[in-house]
Amino acid sequence: PQGIGSPSVYHAVIVIFLEFFAWGLLTAPTLVVLHETFPKHTFLMNGLIQGVKGLLSFLSAPLIGALSDVWGRKSFLLLTVFFTCAPIPLMKISPWWYFAVISVSGVFAVTFSVVFAYVADITQEHERSMAYGLVSATFAASLVTSPAIGAYLGRVYGDSLVVVLATAIALLDICFILVAVPESLPEKMRPASWGAPISWEQADPFASLKKVGQDSIVLLICITVFLSYLPEAGQYSSFFLYLRQIMGFSSESVAAFIAVLGILSIIAQTIVLSLLMRSIGNKNTILLGLGFQILQLAWYGFGSEPWMMWAAGAVAAMSSITFPAVSALVSRTADADQQGVVQGMITGIRGLCNGLGPALYGFIFYIFHVELNELPMPETSSGSSADTQYHLQQNSIIPGPPFLFGACSVLLALLVALFIPEHTNLTVRSGSWKKHCGGHGHPHSPQAPGEAKEPLLQDTNV
């Protein structure tokens, strides 16, 4: 196969690092362009743009995964990275086109799905979770330094240089895929011809979600994930804009906040998580993480001073242990032949939240009249300038209403999680799942006429 060396996890890691390093550089310039382009209803428009992108990614991810099973991973790595980074040069050329292309790019902006499929092709099952962890840690590491570098370069040389540098890094990523990344999917593993049909069952984004209600324990876990990740997805889409425009953070302060939060989250998800899992158990770790998330969101919602945001950010790092603990609970309690389908449900719910969360947060900001119409852009400085901006918000009882709504949602998730048993066997009663596995052990298993087939994607984590 074309490329340098044999396929390895390090190829996937470099692809992810370069893509998100390029986007991390644009953290500060994006906030400026967003406010200049949409001076009215800034939070609403930001939520709609990110919401459309998230929903399109959710709808297209299974299809992209199914096509990569037929045509190979390398071509789709190239496709997804190209479309994910395509909006970058448009930031200075035409801001309106920049945000329009960001929304539409969600159709192909599923690099993580293809990367996880690439990793699954080249790793054994027992080492796969460690490889996925390495990819996720690389994503976090790329965002620890890049916003600070982008903010510094923007302050000294201007935002145009930052956009040019981000574009160059995106092109470097594309060239790396073309030249260095070998194909991971052997020809013998693909269908007989490139014209192999892709069924609707394989491309249906709701296929895994249809089985949610077939087991009460699975239903409780999925409801917990939905109620806790919905506010988290909305928070990711708007929080840095909120810090910059409402709380009066400078570009450097936002970059430092992202770096500190990223480092603390990595520590929480490695050292702290393992200690908690051994000492208090899996379920109690989930409950503890949800408790930290409630405290963090409530603090964001009522906080009116910058120091409160920093304190809540430290709590937010501890709340990041929730989803790894949920994944561990599923992997420990689900039967071996049920791992893929249950993890697929959770991944599908998170994808759905990535579309609904940003739009919901933008709408709540809009109905509570948290606007930037009369707020001037803050001057970039090393201190906490633009004090008048966040003092204007102190007249409101709740400076950040969406965050308080998110705290209520996570409180419901905590109440639901209380009913999840610590030790159980998850069983998704589905004859179609047995048929899907039947090619390996039960080729003659009958299937009821009304049952849907499971997409052949359990190893791709799509």
Side-chain angles (χ1 to χ4, degrees), residues 307-389:
W307 70 266
M308 297 181 181
M309 298 296 104
W310 283 98
V315 178
M318 279 300 300
S319 71
S320 65
I321 64 175
T322 304
F323 186 72
V326 169
S327 298
L329 178 68
V330 170
S331 65
R332 288 183 178 183
T333 56
D335 293 335
D337 63 346
Q338 300 285 295
Q339 292 278 347
V341 68
V342 180
Q343 295 283 8
M345 291 177 198
I346 295 174
T347 304
I349 287 173
R350 282 168 62 91
L352 192 59
C353 290
N354 282 330
L356 298 178
L360 182 63
Y361 264 50
F363 181 69
I364 296 175
F365 273 125
Y366 172 71
I367 62 176
F368 277 87
H369 306 292
V370 180
E371 300 292 351
L372 308 178
N373 303 1
E374 302 175 0
L375 300 182
M377 287 298 298
E379 294 297 325
T380 305
S381 66
S382 57
S384 57
S385 60
D387 292 340
T388 55
Q389 292 199 24

Side-chain angles (χ1 to χ4, degrees), residues 200-239:
W200 166 246
E201 286 80 7
Q202 288 175 276
D204 182 7
F206 298 96
S208 61
L209 301 183
K210 292 175 183 176
K211 299 183 178 66
V212 166
Q214 295 181 359
D215 183 273
S216 59
I217 309 302
V218 172
L219 181 61
L220 290 174
I221 292 174
C222 289
I223 292 174
T224 301
V225 170
F226 179 81
L227 291 174
S228 63
Y229 194 72
L230 184 68
E232 189 174 338
Q235 173 188 320
Y236 287 153
S237 69
S238 62
F239 187 62

Side-chain angles (χ1 to χ4, degrees), residues 8 288 304 345 386 407 455:
S8 70
L288 184 64
S304 56
M345 291 177 198

Side-chain angles (χ1 to χ4, degrees), residues 5 28 70 82 84 96 128 147 155 175 177 182 198 213 238 256 294 345 356 388 395 398 418-419 426 453:
V70 176
F82 174 80
T84 302
W96 281 94
R128 198 164 293 159
R155 179 168 60 86
C175 293
I177 296 172
I198 301 296
S238 62
I294 294 170
M345 291 177 198
L356 298 178
T388 55
N395 296 327
I398 307 174
L418 288 172
F419 293 94
L426 303 182
K453 287 186 286 186

Side-chain angles (χ1 to χ4, degrees), residues 2 10-11 66 71 84 113 192 208 224-225 248-249 268 277 305 314 328 353 357 361-362 425 446:
Q2 294 182 346
Y10 300 106
H11 289 101
W71 294 342
T84 302
S113 298
S208 61
T224 301
V225 170
F249 275 47
M277 294 281 279
E305 299 286 344
C353 290
Y361 264 50
N425 287 324

Side-chain angles (χ1 to χ4, degrees), residues 137-357:
T138 302
F139 163 71
S142 69
L143 296 180
V144 166
T145 56
S146 55
I149 295 173
Y152 172 77
L153 293 176
R155 179 168 60 86
V156 176
Y157 301 104
D159 288 345
S160 296
L161 176 68
V162 181
V163 174
V164 170
L165 179 60
T167 304
I169 292 175
L171 290 174
L172 176 64
D173 197 10
I174 292 172
C175 293
F176 176 78
I177 296 172
L178 281 171
V179 175
V181 176
E183 176 57 59
S184 65
L185 192 65
E187 284 288 345
K188 62 182 181 181
M189 296 291 292
R190 306 184 203 178
S193 69
W194 272 37
I198 301 296
S199 67
W200 166 246
E201 286 80 7
Q202 288 175 276
D204 182 7
F206 298 96
S208 61
L209 301 183
K210 292 175 183 176
K211 299 183 178 66
V212 166
Q214 295 181 359
D215 183 273
S216 59
I217 309 302
V218 172
L219 181 61
L220 290 174
I221 292 174
C222 289
I223 292 174
T224 301
V225 170
F226 179 81
L227 291 174
S228 63
Y229 194 72
L230 184 68
E232 189 174 338
Q235 173 188 320
Y236 287 153
S237 69
S238 62
F239 187 62
F240 301 129
L241 175 65
Y242 180 78
L243 288 178
R244 177 76 191 271
Q245 303 295 341
I246 302 301
M247 300 307 299
F249 275 47
S250 66
S251 297
E252 290 84 356
S253 298
V254 172
F257 188 94
I258 296 173
V260 171
L261 193 62
I263 293 171
L264 291 178
S265 296
I266 293 172
I267 295 172
Q269 293 183 48
T270 53
I271 301 172
V272 178
L273 179 63
S274 62
L275 291 175
L276 289 175
M277 294 281 279
R278 286 198 301 267
S279 58
I280 64 175
N282 207 320
K283 177 183 174 180
N284 290 330
T285 301
I286 295 173
L287 297 177
L288 184 64
L290 292 173
F292 277 116
Q293 190 177 358
I294 294 170
L295 178 59
Q296 160 226 332
L297 289 169
W299 212 337
Y300 282 159
F302 286 113
S304 56
E305 299 286 344
W307 70 266
M308 297 181 181
M309 298 296 104
W310 283 98
V315 178
M318 279 300 300
S319 71
S320 65
I321 64 175
T322 304
F323 186 72
V326 169
S327 298
L329 178 68
V330 170
S331 65
R332 288 183 178 183
T333 56
D335 293 335
D337 63 346
Q338 300 285 295
Q339 292 278 347
V341 68
V342 180
Q343 295 283 8
M345 291 177 198
I346 295 174
T347 304
I349 287 173
R350 282 168 62 91
L352 192 59
C353 290
N354 282 330
L356 298 178

